[in-house]
């Protein structure tokens, strides 16, 4: 009947509009922040690169494996390739941030994400090969653009594996966080609006 065709046409149009709206919500271009220069910008520290202890030498993994550590407040993956060379990378695998240190270090100069299957170069942190090639990786990774992990200079000292990081990175992050909390409750100087 004609009313049924009209109803189905409206239903199809409604479904199409919903799909377009949900797609637009996830693919819209990033908006420029309209935040003005305030107390949020005043507590910045200049970047300061220095070597800091990450793990004890005794905790250095065997060749072909990796472990996790913390350097300057950052989660670090310490990986040892099969020849014994030591590398430091960010310990959060994109796109869902599971630990890279659970990954497998390969003979090809890469470490492989244990869940989504992406391989990252030990030297550069860049994606090597397919992005998120595992079964679940294809579902999750398809929603994100390929992105690598940060790498850091690393050296052995007498007792530690040391990693060069910006020791002010955590302070800068926390300065913005705490100013924002204070600003939400009142002015950063302790007065209220």
């Amino acid at each position: 009947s004609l009313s049924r065709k009209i109803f189905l046409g409206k239903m199809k149009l409604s479904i199409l509009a919903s799909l377009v709206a949900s797609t637009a919500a996830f693919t819209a271009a990033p908006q420029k922040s309209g935040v003005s220069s305030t107390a949020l910008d005043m507590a910045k520290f200049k970047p300061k690169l220095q070597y800091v202890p990450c793990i004890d030498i005794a905790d250095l993994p065997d060749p072909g494996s990796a472990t996790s550590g913390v350097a300057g407040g950052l989660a670090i993956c310490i990986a040892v390739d099969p020849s014994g060379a030591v590398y430091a990378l960010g310990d959060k695998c994109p796109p869902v941030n599971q630990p890279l240190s659970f990954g497998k270090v390969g003979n090809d100069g890469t470490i492989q994400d244990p869940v989504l299957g992406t391989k990252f170069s030990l030297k550069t942190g860049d994606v090597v090969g397919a992005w998120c090639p595992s079964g679940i990786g294809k579902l999750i990774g398809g929603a994100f653009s390929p992105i690598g992990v940060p790498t850091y200079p690393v050296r052995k000292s007498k007792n530690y594996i040391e990693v060069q990081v910006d020791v002010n990175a955590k302070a800068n992050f926390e300065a913005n966080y705490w100013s924002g909390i204070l600003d939400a409750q009142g002015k950063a100087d302790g007065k209220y609006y």
Side-chain angles (χ1 to χ4, degrees):
S1 79
L2 182 60
S3 63
R4 180 169 168 76
K5 287 181 182 179
I6 292 173
F7 174 76
L8 289 176
K10 287 182 179 179
M11 187 66 119
K12 288 177 183 178
L13 185 60
S14 172
I15 291 170
L16 178 63
S18 296
L19 288 172
V20 169
S22 60
T23 301
F26 290 105
T27 60
Q31 300 293 319
K32 221 176 178 186
S33 174
V35 177
S36 63
S37 182
T38 65
L40 293 176
D41 297 327
M42 294 173 25
K44 301 271 183 179
F45 300 97
K46 291 182 181 177
K48 183 179 178 185
L49 293 176
Q50 70 183 52
Y51 281 92
V52 294
C54 184
I55 63 169
D56 289 336
I57 288 282
D59 295 330
L60 188 64
D62 294 331
S65 56
T67 191
S68 62
V70 175
L74 300 173
I76 304 291
C77 168
I78 301 294
V80 181
D81 73 9
S83 68
V86 179
Y87 298 90
L89 304 96
D91 198 26
K92 296 185 186 270
C93 288
V96 293
N97 292 335
Q98 70 273 7
L100 184 60
S101 54
F102 292 166
K104 181 179 186 223
V105 178
N107 293 327
D108 57 354
T110 64
I111 183 167
Q112 185 174 16
D113 174 343
V115 177
L116 304 179
T118 304
K119 288 185 176 184
F120 300 95
S121 167
L122 291 170
K123 292 180 180 178
T124 66
D126 294 335
V127 174
V128 175
W131 170 250
C132 300
S134 73
I136 192 165
K138 289 178 184 175
L139 292 173
I140 295 171
F144 300 92
S145 297
I147 186 169
V149 294
T151 58
Y152 304 95
V154 63
R155 70 180 184 192
K156 292 181 184 179
S157 69
K158 184 176 181 182
N159 299 318
Y160 299 101
I161 296 297
E162 297 179 336
V163 177
Q164 185 184 49
V165 296
D166 176 4
V167 294
N168 287 338
K170 184 177 177 190
N172 279 329
F173 174 80
E174 289 178 348
N176 285 337
Y177 175 79
W178 289 112
S179 292
I181 293 294
L182 292 173
D183 212 32
Q185 296 175 357
K187 292 185 178 181
D189 61 8
K191 296 182 181 174
Y192 291 93
Y193 294 99

